Amino acid sequence: MTTAQIRNAMTIDVEDYFQVSAFAPHILREHWDSLPCRVERNIDIALALLNEGNAHATFFTLGWVAERYPDVVRRIVDNGHELASHGYGHHRVSDQNRNDFGKDITHAKKLLEDISGSSVIGYRAPSFSIGADNLWAHDVLLEAGYQYSSSIYPIRHDHYGMPEAPRFAHYPRGEGGVLELPPTTVALLGRNLPAAGGGYFRLLPYQASRWLIRRVNHQDGKPCIFYFHPWELDPDQPRQQGISLKTQFRHYVNLTRMESRIQALLRDFHWDRMDRVFMKAET
Ligand SMILES: [Zn+2]
């Protein structure tokens, strides 16, 4: 199989710059409504890039954003993309009990479905916060009517990750449960390297990311799952004060290069929605 024939999955986590988990200690939730919102403008840029690149994607959307910007949700669906859930208020799953998690994902699903008029079957946990300690989350997702999740990152990272988890599609709670579709990693020298986007994609030269994705397509013969955020396309976003140098670096590194890198990715690979790449009923 050639690279051109493999359909990879492009995903976007629809949230604003002030909602990222690393800023949580500095920005109170009560203040979200008073901050200048950039998500609508940035989603329009993402939609234009996908359109130019003749690609479709899955948008894991926060209920909080959908409620305030229903037109954003409708534009995503009208452009032929898959609408999926990122939960309501960007609470990490690892900070919630079963009951609160169930309420959050049920509320988000209903909001997204009511606004879009289409069914929502996919979920991504904020900050990939499902791992060895809370695999019960997949049972709660099933009860809430979700069919797949893209929430377990099989890497070692200071804020998330489950390095021992399978690198490709699997059922963490057995068949008949929710299918887990992990963000892409490359197995190299006994470790799993992140190859799915985020700060790594902005930090490494583009050629390195392209090599990693090609390696998964060729060596593993598997589709990749890539992700980015609307705020990564926005070098002019308001700068957050008082954060650590590490957080500052991770959030702001190479934002000005992101747009051209996404264009390159869309040119070099074939991208589609998660449901069409992985869920047989939708193909
Ligand atoms: Zn998020």
Side-chain angles (χ1 to χ4, degrees), residues 13 15 86 90 126-127 229:
D13 292 356
E15 64 198 43
H86 196 33
H90 214 260
S127 306
H229 302 91

Side-chain angles (χ1 to χ4, degrees), residues 10-72:
M10 179 57 75
T11 69
I12 293 124
D13 292 356
V14 182
E15 64 198 43
D16 221 329
Y17 63 94
F18 49 80
Q19 293 171 318
V20 303
S21 297
F23 289 177
H26 306 277
I27 305 178
L28 296 175
R29 280 165 191 281
E30 304 87 274
H31 293 168
W32 283 1
D33 266 319
S34 63
L35 294 166
C37 246
R38 311 276 293 179
V39 71
E40 190 165 23
R41 156 201 191 274
N42 295 333
I43 286 296
D44 282 345
I45 295 172
L47 289 171
L49 287 171
L50 290 165
N51 193 31
E52 270 169 43
N54 209 10
H56 285 108
T58 293
F59 287 71
F60 292 101
T61 305
L62 279 186
W64 189 94
V65 171
E67 207 168 48
R68 284 158 182 80
Y69 298 94
D71 281 346
V72 169

Side-chain angles (χ1 to χ4, degrees), residues 42-116:
N42 295 333
I43 286 296
D44 282 345
I45 295 172
L47 289 171
L49 287 171
L50 290 165
N51 193 31
E52 270 169 43
N54 209 10
H56 285 108
T58 293
F59 287 71
F60 292 101
T61 305
L62 279 186
W64 189 94
V65 171
E67 207 168 48
R68 284 158 182 80
Y69 298 94
D71 281 346
V72 169
V73 171
R74 286 189 276 267
R75 282 205 287 279
I76 289 168
V77 174
D78 289 349
N79 278 277
H81 302 293
E82 180 190 8
L83 183 69
S85 161
H86 196 33
Y88 179 80
H90 214 260
H91 287 283
R92 288 183 204 224
V93 185
S94 44
D95 290 341
Q96 295 178 85
N97 61 33
R98 257 182 115 108
N99 194 30
D100 291 343
F101 176 60
K103 278 189 201 154
D104 179 270
I105 59 173
T106 303
H107 182 203
K109 188 172 190 291
K110 185 170 182 334
L111 255 174
L112 293 167
E113 289 180 339
D114 287 350
I115 294 168
S116 68

